[in-house]
Amino acid sequence: MKKTFFYLLFISLSCSLNGQNTPVYCWQEHLSYTNAKHILEVENNIYCATESGLFYYNKEDYTINRLNKITGLSDVGISAMNYDSENNIIIISYLNTNLDLIKEDEIINITDIKDNPIIGEKKINNIDIESGVAYLSTSFGLVLMDLKKEEIIDTYKIGENGNFEGINDCYIDDTSIFVGTNEGVYFADKNSSTLFDFNSWTKHPSQSGVIDEIIVTYSGILFNNQYPFIKVRNCNGYYLEVGNDFINIYQDDNLILDLNSDSNFSNIQDVLIDKNNVLWVADSSNSLLKYENFEFLEVIKPSGPASNTTENIKFQDGFLFLMHNNNSITTSRTEDLIEWTYWQQFDNAVCSEKIGNKIYFGSSSSGLWKKDGEQLIRYTPANTQNILDTNYYISNLTSDKEGNLWGTISNSGKALFVRNFDNYWDYFFMSQLPNDRDIRNLIIDDYGQKWGSVRAKGLFVYNDNGTIEDKSDDQYKVITTSIGNGNLPSQEVYALANDLYGNIWVGTKEGVCVFYSPSSVFSGYNFDAQQIIVEENGFGQYLLNSEIVYSILIDGGNRKWIGTLGSGLYLLSEDGTEEIYHFTSKNSPLISDNILDLEINHNTGEIFISTDKGLMSFRNDATAAKTNINSIEIFPNPVRENYYGNISINGLAFESNVKITDVSGNLVFETNSNGGTAIWNGTDANNKRVGTGVYLVFSSDKYGDEKAVGKILFIH
């Protein structure tokens, strides 16, 4: 199957504006391009493939451009790529055997291999090109594609006695085709008309066993898989021997340079010497490296996070914090998301909390840290009144209305700890919790009660009754699946969220439940969680009961964003009974259906979505409501003739009624806000685009008290 994407159009619609000025319903990527895999020279551009997608560097104007699923690529996880200079086509294969052909102004998606119900492993290992034909080395044979016609033309099943072997690599010279398999090397006359017949192929007498790569060096073709080389071709008159941490450059059979002690690379994946004799290195730890005159010049990569694997994300006070749990933290102001700052002082960071100008970080192996301006403090028994140690697993951090810092410690008797604003430290022991207290979440409800999830053991609720230093009135309860003791659908609890009405939403291995009366936890009255019944195919069933709900987020309209493992992202109505959106990797730019964490910028409505393949965001149509309305913000304004998107009206009171009229007072449009935002598509009651002129915006809250007025100018 063939699908066409006009990627220039995708780029123009990819929401290049940021923060407040990003149109609603717009997707953006915030991906790391550090893990470089493959390099191509295409005219004046150097293309570099990473685990996130592609970026290309223009050697004339030094610009960097991205190509990914949002800007036109059909998938993520590039396994191989090559360039056909004859037809000016880049071919890309993905780990799932999907294929993209990148032309001058479009991307052609080829799904024939992906959609083919082949029994056994299905993988594209390498791509070679000869005379406009792409030779795809796959796990089930050698597949040929005519790049100009954009179609697969043949498949060669190669193997002794009809026992077909997977093809790991291919090399084509003037007369022959060589393929490396798990059982050695096979070769054949490339001009033969019977290559589809496995009898036309001859097994190399001296090459057996697994041949992952066919290596071309200054001395010829090597088939020995024991060579620690990455396959490289003749590059502009040079031959290169390349390993993970070395590069040997030959010219005229002479070694002219070895880069065996270069500290700039550590895990080389690909190399290239371009037509200007510039050396390019793709390194999985350091992205794209540029060498002029074979001396290191610079690292080239798009701005982005340090890693695509994120343990936890948090947005506070204009900052987005990403915890990678791999010796690095990434933080950025979300209003621009241009410059990312890497902090590597913290070992294995998993959580954060910002209180005033101070930022606290919890680690899975090195305890609690505080960053106060340029000062970095590590908490020890000496400065925490013997409450914390430097090897503690600080699994969660949050703060209450008084500015007290609360945290959880996994695998310790000190399950819950606090630091108040006077630097008083204490912990709270809960004897009913298991010894391995792997605590996943921590939230504080509207009554000051602390809720935490314990791996495979349900929940705990702790109430200090507002007296941190007096434990005599403290209460706690462990909540399980038992009726009368919580009635959780599963003791595997992954997510907790407190909605705008004070209800506690819980995500479990078997769907969602809600505590509608969290104040009754210790009284026992009307306490158990309730599962929401929804209708599906004419039958009632519990909401998402077959899904692993891994994250829950409440937006400004009190709607519920539900992240799952395996089924993507849901947006539900306030009460959870209506499905508004269901985003998956198949029906949206979402790069993975495994959602690990969710966060929101309530000022803009931007939803940050952490997946197992990287971070993305979606500009939501709900923002936090204002309690005192001074002015409203309208974007875009003016609305020009080439803009046909939605117009957002921000800064409203909760559930405001919004009316839009012309200057004569005629009603054009009426709606209610989601939280503090209302959306208008620029059409009237007859679904016709309004004409040039000024339109007035009137809003009031549901009590008619908080009112605001604005103007929108349309220019055609």
Side-chain angles (χ1 to χ4, degrees):
M1 181 180 293
K2 182 167 65 177
K3 293 181 286 186
T4 302
F5 301 92
F6 292 92
Y7 76 85
L8 294 179
L9 176 63
F10 268 82
I11 292 172
S12 68
L13 299 176
S14 65
C15 311
S16 58
L17 296 172
N18 295 292
Q20 189 68 41
N21 293 330
T22 302
V24 294
Y25 312 129
C26 186
W27 289 87
Q28 291 184 285
E29 55 88 1
H30 315 290
L31 301 172
S32 172
Y33 290 84
T34 297
N35 191 341
K37 295 182 175 181
H38 308 285
I39 312 173
L40 288 177
E41 181 181 18
V42 181
E43 298 179 342
N44 292 317
N45 296 311
I46 298 294
Y47 280 75
C48 182
T50 73
E51 63 181 0
S52 305
L54 282 174
F55 69 89
Y56 57 97
Y57 173 76
N58 189 293
K59 295 185 289 183
E60 293 184 342
D61 61 16
Y62 311 114
T63 56
I64 299 175
N65 295 280
R66 311 175 190 219
L67 276 179
N68 48 57
K69 195 176 178 186
I70 292 179
T71 56
L73 296 183
S74 62
D75 227 315
V76 294
I78 296 174
S79 63
M81 68 177 187
N82 212 331
Y83 175 59
D84 177 18
S85 58
E86 181 178 316
N87 295 296
N88 193 24
I89 296 174
I90 299 172
I91 178 171
I92 298 171
S93 68
Y94 300 93
L95 294 172
N96 61 1
T97 67
N98 202 2
L99 292 167
D100 278 341
L101 305 182
I102 302 178
K103 296 187 173 183
E104 185 175 352
D105 58 355
E106 62 182 343
I107 297 176
I108 310 296
N109 179 222
I110 310 291
T111 63
D112 298 64
I113 301 177
K114 178 184 175 184
D115 295 339
N116 195 312
I118 297 172
I119 299 175
E121 185 183 18
K122 193 166 59 171
K123 181 183 178 183
I124 299 174
N125 298 308
N126 193 49
I127 302 174
D128 288 88
I129 295 175
E130 173 78 8
S131 301
V133 176
Y135 292 77
L136 311 180
S137 300
T138 79
S139 56
F140 56 88
L142 189 65
V143 178
L144 278 64
M145 174 179 285
D146 188 313
L147 294 173
K148 188 174 183 179
K149 295 180 179 180
E150 304 163 4
E151 62 184 23
I152 291 174
I153 57 176
D154 216 336
T155 300
Y156 301 152
K157 301 286 189 178
I158 303 168
E160 214 168 15
N161 300 319
N163 296 317
F164 303 133
E165 301 291 341
I167 311 299
N168 299 318
D169 200 6
C170 171
Y171 175 71
I172 306 168
D173 64 15
D174 294 338
T175 60
S176 303
I177 302 177
F178 299 87
V179 294
T181 76
N182 292 334
E183 298 295 331
V185 173
Y186 290 80
F187 62 95
D189 183 348
K190 75 174 186 178
N191 297 313
S192 171
S193 61
T194 60
L195 292 175
F196 58 86
D197 184 355
F198 66 86
N199 291 305
S200 298
W201 295 80
T202 301
K203 188 174 183 181
H204 199 290
S206 63
Q207 303 296 329
S208 60
V210 177
I211 304 295
D212 285 330
E213 296 175 331
I214 300 174
I215 305 157
V216 184
T217 74
Y218 68 94
S219 59
I221 303 174
L222 299 178
F223 303 113
N224 193 337
N225 194 41
Q226 300 303 310
Y227 280 80
F229 299 153
I230 294 172
K231 175 187 168 183
V232 287
R233 299 172 179 84
N234 184 338
C235 295
N236 197 31
Y238 297 91
Y239 289 98
L240 298 91
E241 293 178 349
V242 184
N244 285 336
D245 57 358
F246 71 87
I247 303 173
N248 294 328
I249 303 174
Y250 293 83
Q251 191 175 37
D252 299 327
D253 295 352
N254 298 313
L255 179 65
I256 62 172
L257 183 67
D258 68 83
L259 296 174
N260 295 348
S261 60
D262 194 306
S263 60
N264 296 294
F265 51 73
S266 59
N267 195 2
I268 299 173
Q269 302 299 304
D270 199 4
V271 297
L272 172 73
I273 297 178
D274 69 16
K275 58 188 177 185
N276 298 317
N277 291 333
V278 175
L279 173 66
W280 302 87
V281 179
D283 188 273
S284 62
S285 300
N286 300 293
S287 198
L288 181 63
L289 310 177
K290 181 180 181 181
Y291 291 74
E292 287 191 357
N293 299 318
F294 299 125
E295 293 185 357
F296 175 74
L297 182 64
E298 60 184 326
V299 175
I300 297 172
K301 66 175 178 178
S303 179
S307 169
N308 282 323
T309 303
T310 303
E311 183 84 7
N312 177 271
I313 56 177
K314 181 170 284 189
F315 177 81
Q316 285 185 289
D317 297 337
F319 283 83
L320 181 70
F321 299 97
L322 311 183
M323 274 61 65
H324 302 301
N325 198 14
N326 63 354
N327 298 319
S328 64
I329 302 172
T330 307
T331 180
S332 169
R333 285 191 179 275
T334 69
E335 278 74 19
D336 50 46
L337 280 177
I338 296 174
E339 296 298 327
W340 295 78
T341 301
Y342 304 158
W343 295 345
Q344 297 181 339
Q345 304 101 318
F346 315 99
D347 291 334
N348 302 322
V350 295
C351 57
S352 69
E353 182 69 10
K354 190 173 185 289
I355 303 177
N357 295 322
K358 301 175 179 62
I359 309 168
Y360 298 85
F361 295 100
S363 164
S364 62
S365 60
S366 62
L368 181 68
W369 301 72
K370 179 177 73 173
K371 193 173 189 326
D372 186 359
E374 297 300 318
Q375 187 180 19
L376 183 65
I377 297 171
R378 187 179 186 183
Y379 287 105
T380 67
N383 59 13
T384 63
Q385 298 152 31
N386 288 317
I387 301 301
L388 299 184
D389 209 335
T390 55
N391 63 349
Y392 278 176
Y393 184 165
I394 309 299
S395 53
N396 297 273
L397 294 170
T398 191
S399 57
D400 59 24
K401 297 177 181 178
E402 287 73 39
N404 302 312
L405 176 70
W406 293 84
T408 56
I409 309 173
S410 288
N411 306 317
S412 167
K414 303 173 182 179
L416 181 67
F417 74 89
V418 65
R419 175 197 182 274
N420 75 2
F421 51 85
D422 290 327
N423 201 37
Y424 169 82
W425 294 79
D426 210 341
Y427 75 93
F428 306 90
F429 176 71
M430 288 171 268
S431 61
Q432 295 182 28
L433 292 181
N435 292 330
D436 59 349
R437 299 171 175 87
D438 185 0
I439 304 174
R440 292 177 175 267
N441 301 276
L442 179 66
I443 64 170
I444 302 176
D445 68 17
D446 291 356
Y447 307 95
Q449 301 174 138
K450 288 73 186 178
W451 294 66
S453 63
V454 186
R455 184 179 180 91
K457 301 295 182 181
L459 299 170
F460 73 81
V461 184
Y462 197 96
N463 186 3
D464 62 88
N465 278 299
T467 55
I468 292 176
E469 299 182 33
D470 181 8
K471 295 183 181 179
S472 64
D473 58 354
D474 290 5
Q475 297 172 286
Y476 80 90
K477 178 175 285 190
V478 176
I479 298 172
T480 67
T481 55
S482 302
I483 296 175
N485 197 48
N487 195 31
L488 296 171
S490 168
Q491 293 204 161
E492 289 278 358
V493 177
Y494 301 108
L496 293 170
N498 186 19
D499 77 9
L500 300 186
Y501 295 135
N503 305 314
I504 304 298
W505 288 67
V506 182
T508 78
K509 188 178 180 180
E510 299 177 24
V512 175
C513 64
V514 187
F515 288 92
Y516 291 106
S517 302
S519 61
S520 304
V521 170
F522 298 102
S523 69
Y525 174 74
N526 195 26
F527 160 60
D528 279 353
Q530 303 296 313
Q531 290 182 265
I532 298 168
I533 298 177
V534 295
E535 183 178 326
E536 187 170 321
N537 299 321
F539 297 93
Q541 65 176 30
Y542 290 130
L543 176 65
L544 302 175
N545 67 328
S546 62
E547 303 292 352
I548 299 174
V549 175
Y550 211 71
S551 52
I552 301 176
L553 175 73
I554 314 299
D555 71 14
N558 204 31
R559 302 176 303 179
K560 281 67 186 181
W561 292 81
I562 308 294
T564 70
L565 290 186
S567 295
L569 179 65
Y570 293 83
L571 173 60
L572 307 178
S573 60
E574 282 190 75
D575 61 3
T577 59
E578 178 187 356
E579 180 182 299
I580 301 171
Y581 298 132
H582 180 198
F583 295 125
T584 69
S585 58
K586 292 182 178 180
N587 67 14
S588 75
L590 193 64
I591 59 175
S592 173
D593 292 325
N594 295 316
I595 312 300
L596 305 181
D597 201 7
L598 296 168
E599 189 56 286
I600 186 171
N601 178 352
H602 278 296
N603 293 325
T604 65
E606 189 170 16
I607 307 292
F608 295 96
I609 308 159
S610 175
T611 78
D612 59 342
K613 295 181 179 178
L615 180 69
M616 308 188 73
S617 66
F618 176 76
R619 179 65 187 274
N620 182 29
D621 61 2
T623 58
K626 301 292 185 180
T627 54
N628 294 302
I629 301 176
N630 298 317
S631 63
I632 58 177
E633 299 173 348
I634 301 172
F635 177 82
N637 194 12
V639 181
R640 302 191 180 276
E641 63 276 1
N642 59 349
Y643 183 80
Y644 291 90
N646 289 284
I647 302 156
S648 58
I649 305 165
N650 303 320
L652 306 174
F654 187 69
E655 294 181 345
S656 289
N657 177 257
V658 178
K659 295 180 180 178
I660 298 174
T661 73
D662 59 23
V663 291
S664 299
N666 300 308
L667 182 66
V668 176
F669 179 76
E670 184 174 5
T671 189
N672 292 317
S673 69
N674 282 320
T677 295
I679 302 299
W680 180 35
N681 64 2
T683 62
D684 60 19
N686 297 316
N687 204 32
K688 293 183 178 179
R689 185 171 172 86
V690 299
T692 296
V694 175
Y695 295 84
L696 305 179
V697 180
F698 302 92
S699 75
S700 61
D701 66 12
K702 57 185 177 181
Y703 306 107
D705 295 330
E706 291 292 341
K707 299 179 179 180
V709 179
K711 296 180 180 179
I712 306 174
L713 174 61
F714 273 75
I715 302 173
H716 295 314

